[in-house]
């Protein structure tokens, strides 16, 4: 509104501070607005704060603490500003009026955009190492060639010949194929990642993931499904039972799902039923076990659960369109899908809604009044409730037309209004204080597991409500997340969670994903006793595949009320920090203060950016995932920014280096493995290229120093550079990587590409190639004159040695006979092309005149092949007997670890034998036992 008049479709860019705007359901907020008054207004702020549930907004003022000087303290977090709606968020329900308080770059979205423009992108570790290597090789080869040319000129070699050979060596010595190999290798890695639904925007991002030491992941939509799911149910009709729903997500055809119940038994009872009275667990109290079974329409529990799910469906505004699109709030959609899994049909078509009171933050519940269309209710509990009579006049029913009230909301609010609860047969029985305490205790257990708890009730009037039960909902982890997190942790990559959710939800999801508590056991270790009965796993033994069925059936294993979890609360408290705690730490102390912390909750965009910079300050290579505008600055500042393709905002995708098309966390595991393989392949390429360059330079240096003719002419040197820097070298970049490399810890950023072991391999191969080539050249040069046959034999020997060397460079650890010839088809095609080209240079007359060659006999070729194959023997000796000098560390570390285990085992056996000898000694046994008993009271002396 402006000048007292309402303007429809007013341009958002013309808004100014102080304008009064009206917001209704479905509106996108055009600026930061201070709400004046509102009616049941809720806003989706997930793109800004990461909160996956709509946030209720009110016009009430907030209490802000003041400092001692009278000035205000830091503004409250965005998630606590209940009277402000932010630009870019969406009004989900209700309506309201407000004053514009910020526009443009002064809004919270604008601040994020401004920070994003100020963040500088960092060079990847590969780019830094390639730049350093390029400068080093350029300076070293230029200096060496200049010195060699000067020596040749001083020794009387013709100037033109000296310059020609120097220029040829300069071309051959510098591995100009390195940028091509790196680019092709990264591009092929990008194509392979695209098959895993990962779109890589920057080539270097794939290799950088191989160096990642920390993966900072958002929770909603990345680790979780971003689809609320009903998981646990409780009814006072069966207080000793817990109920759960299988299946994850809204798609019933894909996830399936059914209703299950659990019962608790003790090991002692089970042994007695089997007639085994001698079994004992070694403790005074019997251990409890829970068993689950499917609940069908014929089960006695179905009537009470049908009342619970029917109430959840009737008091619901969500729907599914004809084309399968889900419309409505995530919580209500989860209740609707849960009812379908429980085989409770949607009763809403059979009812006419008479009145509705929407959910409000003050009342914390939603109420609807419905009348059956045909006069008959859909379930037994509703039929009996509609027949209830008034307490003051026993002949008059409370509901004259059969209509009922259906209520859902917070358990505390609902239980306070209920007088009865649903019994097993669907009737209503009085709700006692003991029943209320049980229901509240169960709701707290669900909330402690990270579930969002809703209570359901129904009745002929709001004064005579019957408590139907409670339902726990959650945003479940994605399938395969537990395995991916465990794989990353085993390979040395730390996984942390950064979310805007509450502490309870964040810690619960972190436990289930394996971020806290250290993973889960394999489902193969579970016992299946009967076709429909499964053993309920204990705490920390949860798998995503099985969690949908029985994870929340035994809430005692997860509840902080249990004694087993007392130490866990202390442990996890040290591994979780909030955004306000990060503000209190300060930037200088932040890098040291977050060591060991794996969960960060209630964080704002500035906190994510501070975390990335603090981790980088500690020398970590950070891969950051996110989907909202609030993640954009952190995505750009991180070494690898990973955005979500489905649910991510355009701002996040633009700032990221990698976009996950399916929003699947497991794709990151494939990307990390891909990055490790690319770096090792680049090292193998360099090993081959440097050996070729060293051999050419060394051969020409020896010939120059000893005043010998040049073994190779300029055209032959350039041809070697073409066929060696070409197909064989490039095919090494696509060599399949060994699984040991993929499981190895991430490499350090400071690790050089050219290591001492790589130089040792390259120089030893170059020395052998140089020796064989000069040996053939000196043998053919018997008359002192260089002929075509002399240079052809030398030329062919050098090329064949390089081809055998290329095969040996396919692996840094495996011998040539351990490498499958057909594992890399590109290498076979490259070798065939090089051999065909070499034969063409030797045997085709037009090329013979260009390269000054002549045809060789079969005996000459056989001799050259026999001599060149010794390169493979040298490589075998290096990899079998000289690992400490020629290995890059992987195989050597594995062998040292194996030797260390054997030594530890031998040392342990010696120590055990020594202890046995001491204990068997009658003179020293008592004294030693006495000392042990005094020093450690837990040791029992015999």
């Amino acid at each position: 509104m402006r000048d007292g008049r309402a303007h429809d479709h007013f341009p958002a860019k013309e808004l100014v501070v102080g304008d009064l705007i009206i917001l209704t359901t479905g509106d996108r907020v055009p600026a930061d607005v201070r709400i004046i008054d509102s009616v049941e207004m809720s806003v989706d702020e997930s793109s800004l704060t990461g909160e996956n549930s709509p946030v209720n907004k009110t016009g009430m003022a907030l209490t802000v603490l003041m400092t001692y000087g009278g000035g205000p303290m830091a503004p409250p977090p965005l998630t606590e500003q209940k009277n402000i709606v932010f630009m870019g968020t969406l009004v989900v329900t209700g309506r309201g009026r407000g004053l514009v308080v910020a526009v443009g770059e002064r809004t919270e979205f604008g601040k994020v955009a401004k920070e994003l423009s100020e963040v500088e992108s960092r060079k990847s570790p590969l780019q830094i190492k390639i730049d350093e290597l390029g400068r080093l090789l350029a300076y070293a080869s230029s200096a060496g060639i200049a010195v060699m040319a000067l020596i040749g000129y001083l020794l009387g070699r013709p100037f033109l010949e000296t310059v020609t050979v120097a220029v040829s060596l300069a071309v051959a010595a510098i591995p100009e194929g390195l940028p091509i190999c790196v680019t092709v290798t990264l591009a092929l890695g990008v194509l392979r990642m695209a098959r895993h639904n990962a779109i890589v925007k920057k080539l270097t991002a794939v290799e950088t993931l191989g160096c990642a030491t920390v993966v900072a992941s958002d929770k909603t939509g990345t680790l979780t499904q971003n689809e609320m799911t009903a998981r646990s149910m409780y009814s006072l009709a069966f207080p000793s039972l817990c109920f759960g729903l299988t299946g994850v997500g809204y798609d019933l055809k894909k996830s399936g799902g059914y209703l299950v119940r659990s019962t608790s038994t003790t090991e002692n009872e089970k042994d007695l039923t089997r007639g085994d009275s001698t079994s004992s667990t070694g403790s005074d109290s019997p251990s409890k076990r829970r068993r689950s079974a499917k609940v069908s329409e014929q089960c006695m529990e179905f009537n009470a659960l049908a009342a619970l799910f029917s109430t959840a469906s009737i008091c619901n505004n969500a729907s599914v369109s004809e084309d399968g699109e889900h419309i409505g709030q995530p919580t209500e959609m989860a209740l609707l899908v849960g009812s379908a899994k429980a085989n409770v049909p949607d009763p809403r078509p059979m009812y006419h809604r008479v009145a509705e009171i929407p959910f409000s933050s003050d009342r914390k519940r939603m109420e609807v009044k419905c009348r059956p269309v045909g006069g008959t209710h859909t379930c037994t509990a509703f039929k009996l409730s509609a027949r209830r009579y008034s307490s003051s006049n026993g002949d008059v029913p409370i509901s004259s037309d059969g209509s009922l009230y259906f209520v859902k909301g917070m358990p505390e609010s609902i239980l306070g209004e209920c007088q009865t609860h649903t019994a097993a047969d669907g009737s209503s029985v009085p709700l006692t204080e003991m029943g209320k305490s049980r229901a509240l205790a169960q709701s707290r257990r669900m909330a402690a597991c990270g579930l969002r708890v809703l209570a359901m009730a129904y009745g002929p009037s709001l004064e005579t409500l019957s408590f139907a039960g409670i339902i726990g909902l959650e945003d479940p982890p994605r399938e395969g997340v537990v395995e991916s997190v465990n794989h990353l942790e085993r390979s040395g990559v730390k996984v942390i969670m950064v979310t805007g959710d509450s502490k309870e939800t964040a810690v619960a999801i972190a436990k289930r994903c394996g971020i806290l508590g250290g993973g889960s056991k394999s489902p193969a270790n579970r016992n299946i006793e009967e076709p429909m009965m499964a053993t309920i796993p204990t705490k920390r033994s949860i798998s995503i595949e099985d969690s949908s069925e029985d994870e929340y059936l035994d809430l005692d294993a997860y509840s902080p009320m249990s004694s087993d979890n007392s130490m866990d609360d202390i442990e996890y408290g040290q591994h979780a920090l909030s955004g306000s705690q990060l503000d209190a730490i300060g930037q200088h102390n932040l890098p040291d203060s977050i060591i060991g912390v794996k969960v960060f909750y209630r964080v704002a965009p500035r906190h994510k950016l501070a975390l990335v910079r603090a981790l980088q300050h500690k020398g970590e290579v950070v891969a950051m995932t996110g989907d909202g505008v609030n993640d954009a600055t952190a995505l750009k500042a991180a070494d690898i920014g990973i955005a979500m393709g489905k649910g991510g905002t355009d701002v996040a995708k633009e700032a990221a280096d990698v976009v996950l098309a399916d929003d699947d966390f497991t794709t990151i595991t494939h990307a990390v493995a891909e990055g490790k393989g690319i770096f090792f392949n680049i090292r193998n390429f360099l090993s081959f290229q440097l050996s070729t360059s060293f051999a050419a330079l060394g051969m020409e240096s020896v010939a120059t120093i000893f005043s010998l003719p040049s073994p190779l002419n300029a055209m032959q040197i350039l041809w070697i550079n073409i066929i060696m820097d070409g197909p064989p070298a490039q095919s090494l970049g696509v060599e399949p990587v060994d699984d040991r490399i993929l499981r190895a810890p991430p490499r350090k950023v400071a690790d050089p590409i050219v290591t001492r072991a790589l130089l040792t391999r390259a120089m030893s191969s170059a020395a052998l190639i140089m020796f064989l080539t000069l040996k053939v050249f000196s043998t053919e040069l018997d008359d002192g004159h260089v002929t075509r046959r002399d240079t052809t034999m030398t030329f062919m020997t050098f090329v064949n040695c390089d081809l055998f060397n290329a095969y040996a460079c396919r692996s840094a650890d495996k011998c040539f006979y351990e490498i499958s010839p057909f594992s890399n088809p590109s290498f076979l095609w490259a070798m065939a092309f090089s051999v065909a080209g070499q034969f063409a240079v030797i045997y085709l007359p037009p090329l013979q005149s260009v390269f000054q060659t002549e045809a060789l006999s079969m005996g000459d070729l056989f001799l050259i092949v026999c001599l060149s194959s010794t390169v493979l023997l040298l490589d075998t000796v290096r990899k079998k007997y000289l690992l400490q000098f020629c290995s890059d560390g992987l195989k050597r570390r594995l062998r040292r670890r194996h030797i260390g285990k054997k030594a530890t085992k031998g040392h342990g056996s010696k120590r055990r034998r020594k202890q046995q000898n001491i204990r068997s000694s009658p003179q020293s046994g008592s004294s030693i036992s006495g000392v042990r008993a005094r020093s450690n009271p837990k040791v029992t002396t015999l």
Side-chain angles (χ1 to χ4, degrees), residues 43 45 134 164 186 198 318 592 670 681 801 846 876:
V43 180
E45 297 181 345
T164 303
L186 293 176
D592 295 326
H670 297 291
N681 282 341
C801 288
T876 302

Side-chain angles (χ1 to χ4, degrees), residues 412-492:
E412 295 81 0
S413 176
I414 300 297
L415 284 169
E417 302 293 331
C418 292
Q419 306 296 325
T420 59
H421 71 84
T422 307
D425 57 354
S427 62
S428 297
V429 297
L431 178 61
T432 63
E433 291 298 327
M434 178 63 70
K436 291 183 180 180
S437 300
R438 284 181 174 178
L440 288 176
Q442 191 71 7
S443 68
R444 293 191 188 101
R445 290 192 184 99
M446 291 184 181
C449 295
L451 301 181
R452 184 179 183 185
V453 185
L454 291 177
M456 309 294 162
Y458 62 92
S461 67
L462 294 178
E463 291 76 19
T464 57
L465 291 177
S466 292
F467 179 70
I470 55 179
I471 300 178
L473 307 99
E474 68 154 357
D475 184 8
R478 288 181 174 272
E479 183 179 357
V481 167
V482 174
E483 290 77 7
S484 299
V485 171
N486 290 339
H487 179 80
L488 291 174
E489 293 283 355
R490 287 195 304 267
S491 61

Side-chain angles (χ1 to χ4, degrees), residues 215 217 222-223 477-497 509-520 544 598 665-669:
V215 174
S217 177
T222 307
L223 293 171
R478 288 181 174 272
E479 183 179 357
V481 167
V482 174
E483 290 77 7
S484 299
V485 171
N486 290 339
H487 179 80
L488 291 174
E489 293 283 355
R490 287 195 304 267
S491 61
V493 181
K494 293 177 290 186
V495 181
I496 63 176
M497 178 193 293
I509 295 297
K511 292 179 185 178
R512 294 191 59 198
C513 293
I515 298 176
L516 288 178
S520 64
I544 290 298
K598 291 191 173 183
F665 183 83
T666 57
T667 308
I668 300 176
T669 306

